[in-house]
Amino acid sequence: KFPVDIAIDSHHKDSLVIVDRENHRVVEWPKGATQGTIIVGNNDGKKGSSLHDLSFPNGVTILHDIHGHSHIIVADTGNHRILSCPRGHHDCK
């Protein structure tokens, strides 16, 4: 609805990771996909303050550790926090 930032995940088939600010979520678009997948935030597009919800997110980056694990780092502006979300899990820290 209102994309504000993107990151390319070179360790995950060069997928695009897009911050969808007005729908309070982060969406992944693999190369060649016709539809994205929500990887952070809830499925109904409503803001929230729990560790699996976002409120007007504004930025994203991807960190990869030496063990091959990926974390989606999100600037959750409406909740005044930075979240680290392990790839494949909906709850963030």
Side-chain angles (χ1 to χ4, degrees), residues 8-77:
I8 297 173
D9 191 347
S10 61
H11 289 89
H12 205 261
K13 302 177 185 174
D14 288 335
S15 62
L16 282 178
V17 176
I18 303 169
V19 175
D20 183 3
R21 181 177 169 84
E22 297 297 316
N23 284 320
H24 314 286
R25 63 189 182 186
V26 177
V27 180
E28 175 182 40
W29 285 80
K31 256 186 174 177
T34 58
Q35 184 172 334
T37 302
I38 298 168
I39 57 173
V40 182
N42 61 53
N43 292 329
D44 60 8
K46 295 185 180 185
K47 66 181 176 177
S49 60
S50 72
L51 288 177
H52 60 267
D53 291 327
L54 299 173
S55 178
F56 300 103
N58 206 43
V60 67
T61 194
I62 302 162
L63 295 179
H64 304 282
D65 65 23
I66 60 172
H67 305 290
H69 301 110
S70 299
H71 295 267
I72 309 299
I73 310 298
V74 181
D76 186 16
T77 308

